[in-house]
């Protein structure tokens, strides 16, 4: 029997948040009964863009042109941060039928129905600054994944000088906690053993919800200077409720800002076996002058104390960080401060980003940019340091047992503290598996499942 539904394919660029947003669009399209998600050739192609750098914009344009060249009859829908920032740049590209803003995704079915192939692109981009509600979409599956991402917060109230996220995603707005819990239950019941909570600024979750009292704003962070006795933040309350969902095997927190990591959050991780021992906390720089120009809300010393405290209280915690190389005005000495701090800190991996001016950001017009060759050299040094620190961290785990969630037929998955593991025969397992970590690979480890009755230690 031939389906009369139009076929839709998806291309997602950028961060995990975009992956979740793509799933929300797919859910809305399929729920309408008019569209069917497919791979390959389709009647409609949805491109979810990133705009964090000029290179990201260029990648989006290239992807759109390639889709049109390979499938000239398809209507192309462009959404994401680039669509919100510069819809006019995208509406004129060949094949584009609809440019959809971040606050307009909930109307994707309606807006797509109003497009006609071959006519001028329809632009549906409302001012993101006016958005005040979280877009609720009942996602119940994540295609081609065994762990599920759950977005709990959108937007950002910060004003980092290098960033335009507040202009492309709006102010911080949180999802109703009961809606979060309902989705988590659906996903766990649907066979997803691991839930990953994510947001643009996840640490701000709940601070905008009217039901929260002002006293819940304190969080005991060494970065923000609050005392250890501060009240629990809404995010911690939400995580505690997620951990109590029957059938959940593991919970993981996505990237979180330093000022949002408080005593309450670290204590919960240290005391809850299901809470994956993994933090990703952007540092960006360990020089106070650079941090000040970036408009980051912490000092280098505060970041050191934060990460050091986590390592003491959560043994073998995987701690990753982001660093911007060559921010305007970053001297050799300032970069050396960052490099030396990372050598000393118990971080297990580093994501270095080469600074490039982002049109619309405060720093884009600054004249003291760092030469490209210097940025490249600094980025290379940080990549080598990340490789060395990651290898040293993995070496400590040879011969130890761990719990791994294999994904895909190859059985490659992650330990709770974020070590990539190739699990022998892992593609046959549906959940989190006890694994003996046997040897190192170039970027991870190899392991063998621990069978019942084995004398191997329990992870």
């Amino acid at each position: 029997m031939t389906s009369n539904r139009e076929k839709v394919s998806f291309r997602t660029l950028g961060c995990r948040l975009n992956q979740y947003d793509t799933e929300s669009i797919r859910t809305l399209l399929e729920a309408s009964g008019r569209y069917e998600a497919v791979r390959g050739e389709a009647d409609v192609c949805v491109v979810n863009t990133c705009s964090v750098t000029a290179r990201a914009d260029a990648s989006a344009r290239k992807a759109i042109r390639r889709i049109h060249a390979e499938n000239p009859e398809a209507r192309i829908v462009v959404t994401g941060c680039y669509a919100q920032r510069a819809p006019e740049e995208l509406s004129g590209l060949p094949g584009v039928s609809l440019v959809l803003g971040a606050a307009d995704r909930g109307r994707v079915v309606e807006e797509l129905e109003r497009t006609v192939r071959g006519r001028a692109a329809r632009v549906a981009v409302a001012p993101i600054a006016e958005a005040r509600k979280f877009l609720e979409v009942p996602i119940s599956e994540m295609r081609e994944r065994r762990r599920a991402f759950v977005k709990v917060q959108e937007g950002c109230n910060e004003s980092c000088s290098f960033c335009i996220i507040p202009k492309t995603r709006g102010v911080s707005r949180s999802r109703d906690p009961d809606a979060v819990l309902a989705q988590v239950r659906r996903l766990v019941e649907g066979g997803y053993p691991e839930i990953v909570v994510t947001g643009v600024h996840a640490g701000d979750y709940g601070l905008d919800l009217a039901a929260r009292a002002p006293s819940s704003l304190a969080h005991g962070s060494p970065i923000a200077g609050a005392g250890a006795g501060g009240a629990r933040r809404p995010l911690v309350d939400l995580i505690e409720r997620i951990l109590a969902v029957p059938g959940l095997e593991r919970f993981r927190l996505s990237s979180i800002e330093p000022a949002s990591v408080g005593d309450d959050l670290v204590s919960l991780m240290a005391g809850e076996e299901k809470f994956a021992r993994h933090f990703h906390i952007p540092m960006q720089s360990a020089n106070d002058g650079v941090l000040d120009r970036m408009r980051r809300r912490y000092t280098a010393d505060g970041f050191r104390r934060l990460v050091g405290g986590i390592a003491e209280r959560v043994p073998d915690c995987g701690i990753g960080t982001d660093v911007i190389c060559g921010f305007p005005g970053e001297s050799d000495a300032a970069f050396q401060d960052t490099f030396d701090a990372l050598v000393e800190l118990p971080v297990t991996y580093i994501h270095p980003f080469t600074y490039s001016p982002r049109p619309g950001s405060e720093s884009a017009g600054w004249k003291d940019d760092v030469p490209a060759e210097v940025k490249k050299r600094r980025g290379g040094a940080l990549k080598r340091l990340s490789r060395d620190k990651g290898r040293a961290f993995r070496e400590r785990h040879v011969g130890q047992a761990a719990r791994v969630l294999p994904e895909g037929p190859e059985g490659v998955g992650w330990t709770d503290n974020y070590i990539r593991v190739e699990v022998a025969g892992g593609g046959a397992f549906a959940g989190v598996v006890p694994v003996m970590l046997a040897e190192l690979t170039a970027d991870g480890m190899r392991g063998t499942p621990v069978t019942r009755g084995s004398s191997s230690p329990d992870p």
Side-chain angles (χ1 to χ4, degrees):
M1 184 175 179
T2 303
S3 171
N4 59 359
R5 293 182 295 172
E6 288 196 279
K7 293 179 171 56
V8 186
S9 65
F10 299 87
R11 174 71 185 276
T12 304
L13 306 171
C15 62
R16 290 174 178 173
L17 287 171
N18 270 11
Q19 295 172 15
Y20 185 90
D21 292 340
T22 295
E23 288 296 324
S24 70
I25 293 172
R26 179 191 60 77
T27 298
L28 291 169
L29 290 172
E30 290 199 319
S32 73
R34 305 173 191 174
Y35 301 93
E36 174 187 3
V38 299
R39 297 177 184 173
E41 189 168 325
D43 304 298
V44 178
C45 300
V46 177
V47 183
N48 196 353
T49 63
C50 173
S51 193
V52 68
T53 64
R55 181 176 295 180
D57 289 351
S59 295
R61 294 191 298 270
K62 181 178 179 181
I64 292 166
R65 291 189 177 101
R66 181 172 181 176
I67 290 170
H68 178 65
E70 294 176 351
N71 188 3
E73 297 301 311
R75 289 175 290 162
I76 299 175
V77 177
V78 186
T79 188
C81 289
Y82 191 2
Q84 183 68 45
R85 185 187 68 80
E88 68 286 347
E89 292 182 16
L90 296 167
S91 63
L93 293 179
V96 173
S97 294
L98 174 63
V99 181
L100 193 66
D104 308 278
R105 287 192 295 267
R107 304 198 318 273
V108 61
V109 175
E110 172 189 346
E111 296 295 346
L112 183 54
E113 290 297 308
R114 298 173 70 179
T115 65
V116 178
R117 185 178 61 82
R119 292 189 182 177
R122 178 173 177 77
V123 176
V125 180
I128 194 62
E130 298 176 4
R132 291 295 182 273
K133 291 185 178 180
F134 185 95
L135 175 62
E136 184 62 50
V137 178
I139 297 174
S140 59
E141 63 176 328
M142 302 288 290
R143 296 293 175 93
E144 303 176 7
R145 291 186 177 276
R146 289 185 179 175
R147 54 178 177 159
F149 294 92
V150 175
K151 184 177 176 182
V152 303
Q153 181 272 344
E154 177 67 278
C156 182
N157 295 339
E158 302 297 329
S159 56
C160 297
S161 61
F162 54 83
C163 183
I164 62 166
I165 284 178
K167 296 181 180 180
T168 60
R169 288 187 176 267
V171 300
S172 180
R173 48 203 188 276
S174 304
R175 190 177 183 185
D176 180 82
D178 290 336
V180 174
L181 268 294
Q183 184 185 5
V184 170
R185 293 189 191 99
R186 286 195 302 270
L187 289 165
V188 171
E189 291 169 359
Y192 294 90
E194 179 175 326
I195 297 296
V196 184
V197 156
T198 187
V200 174
H201 195 318
D204 273 359
Y205 173 79
L207 301 187
D208 58 315
L209 298 178
R212 298 294 181 178
S215 61
S216 69
L217 302 186
H219 53 96
S221 168
I223 292 291
R232 290 160 66 89
R233 285 174 72 95
L235 176 65
V236 179
D237 290 334
L238 179 69
I239 293 172
E240 193 167 54
R241 293 178 67 186
I242 291 173
L243 289 167
V245 170
L248 176 69
E249 295 188 51
R250 190 155 73 191
F251 167 84
R252 191 181 301 275
L253 182 63
S254 191
S255 179
I256 186 167
E257 287 293 311
S260 298
V261 183
D263 292 339
D264 51 1
L265 182 60
V266 178
S267 295
L268 185 60
M269 179 182 287
E272 290 284 350
E273 185 179 1
K274 291 182 182 179
F275 197 156
R277 299 168 299 163
H278 173 218
F279 275 114
H280 187 93
I281 312 173
M283 180 180 76
Q284 309 304 10
S285 175
N287 176 272
D288 285 342
V290 174
L291 287 173
D292 186 60
R293 295 196 84 198
M294 289 179 172
R295 298 193 186 282
R296 302 290 285 173
R297 296 190 298 113
Y298 51 88
T299 64
D301 182 64
F303 189 90
R304 289 189 186 94
R305 289 187 288 112
L306 173 65
V307 173
I310 292 171
E312 288 180 6
R313 296 171 62 185
V314 187
D316 279 330
C317 185
I319 305 175
T321 193
D322 299 330
V323 177
I324 295 177
C325 300
F327 188 74
E330 183 188 58
S331 64
D332 288 341
F335 173 74
Q336 195 64 47
D337 286 343
T338 298
F339 188 88
D340 291 346
L342 290 168
V343 169
E344 297 173 3
L345 283 170
V347 297
T348 55
Y349 65 91
I350 304 161
H351 288 165
F353 294 88
T354 300
Y355 175 81
S356 63
R358 173 69 278 171
S361 67
E362 180 183 351
S363 64
W366 294 353
K367 304 302 181 183
D368 51 352
D369 198 11
V370 175
E373 63 273 15
V374 175
K375 294 178 186 177
K376 183 177 180 179
R377 183 173 69 245
R378 293 174 183 173
L382 289 177
K383 288 178 182 177
R384 290 189 292 273
L385 178 60
S386 179
R387 179 195 61 206
D388 293 345
K389 291 182 81 72
R391 183 177 183 85
F393 184 62
R394 299 196 306 275
E395 285 176 343
R396 301 207 312 257
H397 290 76
V398 173
Q400 293 187 10
R403 289 170 60 78
V404 179
L405 176 61
E407 296 192 72
E410 298 82 11
V412 177
W414 300 88
T415 64
D416 77 308
N417 57 354
Y418 211 61
I419 295 175
R420 183 180 183 274
V421 181
E422 300 171 13
V423 182
F429 296 94
V432 179
V433 182
V435 172
M436 181 59 61
L437 303 177
E439 61 180 343
L440 270 63
T441 64
D443 60 351
M445 301 186 75
R446 292 191 181 92
T448 304
V450 178
T451 58
R452 287 183 178 272
S454 169
S455 60
S456 301
D458 222 8

